[in-house]
């Protein structure tokens, strides 16, 4: 059971906008920056978002992050079939004194 | 372009010690980055194991702390993971990753992962 809660699944059709939520607490999201990772089937995770809203070079602007209080969200607009993957939020937890991942959300493009 | 490559035994006996190495190429392990280990049990999510800085500072997942040691070998430009007293629950794909200061210590470079099975 992760300290960061994500919905296990999400879905959308091509071109749609999908949002994935990540809920935490004051000891993690509420006091630290959030990261988002994309894991395509059979591959290593890839950094999508850092510092809540920033995209590394090469990540399309279709991906955007936000944070409010103890929750964060990842939005994917103009959904494409290649976006079908598992998405994980992550942050630092002050109480645990370590990094934590959400349980992951499996995104299906219908 | 920094690249990471995990190596180590793919099979470990129960109660034994899992030992993996992550070779860093294309850059120095002594740069301003932290270096992490993350694992993923079959069909499950990501679990952070711990991290180390080249100076020796480290942080560990509290649930694994009593069994984990992460170390750095600056002369060979690699870092290592040791996990003792393993059980079947430690069967997973193990990834090493770089936490870069330029991305707020997000994990921007990952190894391809290595599968470790705990079985007699």
């Amino acid at each position: 059971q992760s300290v960061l809660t994500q919905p296990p699944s999400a879905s959308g059709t091509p071109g749609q906008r999908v949002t994935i939520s990540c809920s935490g607490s004051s000891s993690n999201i509420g006091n630290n920056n959030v990261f988002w990772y994309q894991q395509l089937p059979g591959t290593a995770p890839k950094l999508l978002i850092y510092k809540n809203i920033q995209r590394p070079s090469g990540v399309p602007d279709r991906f955007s992050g936000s944070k409010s209080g103890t929750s964060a969200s990842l939005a994917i607009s103009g959904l494409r079939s290649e976006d079908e993957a598992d998405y994980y939020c992550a942050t630092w937890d002050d109480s645990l004194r370590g990094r934590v991942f959400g349980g992951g959300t499996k995104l299906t493009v219908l | 372009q920094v690249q990471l490559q995990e190596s180590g035994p793919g099979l470990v006996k129960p109660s034994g010690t899992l030992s993996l190495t992550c070779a860093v190429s294309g850059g120095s392990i002594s740069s301003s980055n932290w270096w992490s280990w993350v694992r993923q049990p079959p069909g499950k999510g990501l679990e952070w194991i711990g991290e180390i800085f080249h100076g020796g500072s480290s942080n560990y997942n509290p649930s694994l702390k009593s069994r984990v040691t992460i170390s750095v070998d600056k002369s060979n430009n690699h870092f290592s993971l040791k996990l003792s007293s393993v059980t079947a629950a430690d069967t997973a794909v193990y990834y090493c990753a770089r936490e870069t200061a330029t991305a707020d210590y997000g994990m921007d470079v990952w190894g391809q992962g290595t599968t470790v099975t705990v079985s007699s």
Side-chain angles (χ1 to χ4, degrees):
Chain A
Q1 192 83 352
S2 176
V3 298
L4 302 181
T5 301
Q6 297 181 236
S9 64
S11 63
T13 56
Q16 267 191 332
R17 182 176 188 272
V18 170
T19 300
I20 296 172
S21 62
C22 177
S23 177
S25 68
S26 57
S27 68
N28 42 66
I29 292 178
N31 201 39
N32 296 284
N33 290 325
V34 176
F35 305 90
W36 288 93
Y37 296 89
Q38 175 194 57
Q39 187 176 32
L40 298 171
T43 69
K46 171 189 173 183
L47 181 64
L48 271 187
I49 298 288
Y50 66 94
K51 221 169 184 177
N52 308 316
I53 62 172
Q54 302 295 330
R55 285 186 307 277
S57 174
V59 174
D61 59 6
R62 301 187 297 106
F63 295 90
S64 62
S66 64
K67 173 184 152 178
S68 178
T70 59
S71 294
S73 293
L74 172 71
I76 309 171
S77 59
L79 200 60
R80 298 182 177 183
S81 58
E82 57 259 40
D83 297 332
E84 192 160 283
D86 294 323
Y87 292 85
Y88 295 89
C89 59
T91 188
W92 180 267
D93 190 289
D94 296 330
S95 297
L96 297 174
R97 299 185 67 178
R99 298 183 182 277
V100 290
F101 285 97
T105 298
K106 183 176 183 62
L107 175 64
T108 301
V109 181
L110 303 169
Chain B
Q1 186 83 341
V2 172
Q3 292 184 309
L4 305 179
Q5 178 66 58
E6 306 91 348
S7 62
L11 181 64
V12 182
K13 292 188 186 314
S15 77
T17 296
L18 178 160
S19 296
L20 297 175
T21 294
C22 181
V24 180
S25 59
S28 172
I29 201 167
S30 298
S31 55
S32 300
N33 301 302
W34 285 70
W35 306 91
S36 250
W37 287 98
V38 176
R39 70 180 183 179
Q40 185 169 36
K44 296 188 177 181
L46 303 173
E47 179 180 32
W48 178 75
I49 299 170
E51 62 187 8
I52 193 164
F53 192 68
H54 64 81
S57 297
S58 59
N59 297 299
Y60 297 125
N61 184 326
S63 69
L64 299 170
K65 188 172 184 177
S66 63
R67 299 194 291 131
V68 172
T69 301
I70 298 176
S71 59
V72 165
D73 182 339
K74 287 186 273 190
S75 60
N76 289 303
N77 217 41
H78 72 229
F79 63 107
S80 299
L81 167 70
K82 288 190 187 299
L83 180 66
S84 63
S85 304
V86 298
T87 69
D90 295 310
T91 293
V93 176
Y94 286 76
Y95 296 99
C96 58
R98 182 184 78 168
E99 300 171 21
T100 184
T102 58
D104 194 38
Y105 298 101
M107 300 176 197
D108 71 326
V109 178
W110 293 70
Q112 64 184 25
T114 187
T115 299
V116 178
T117 301
V118 178
S119 175
S120 55

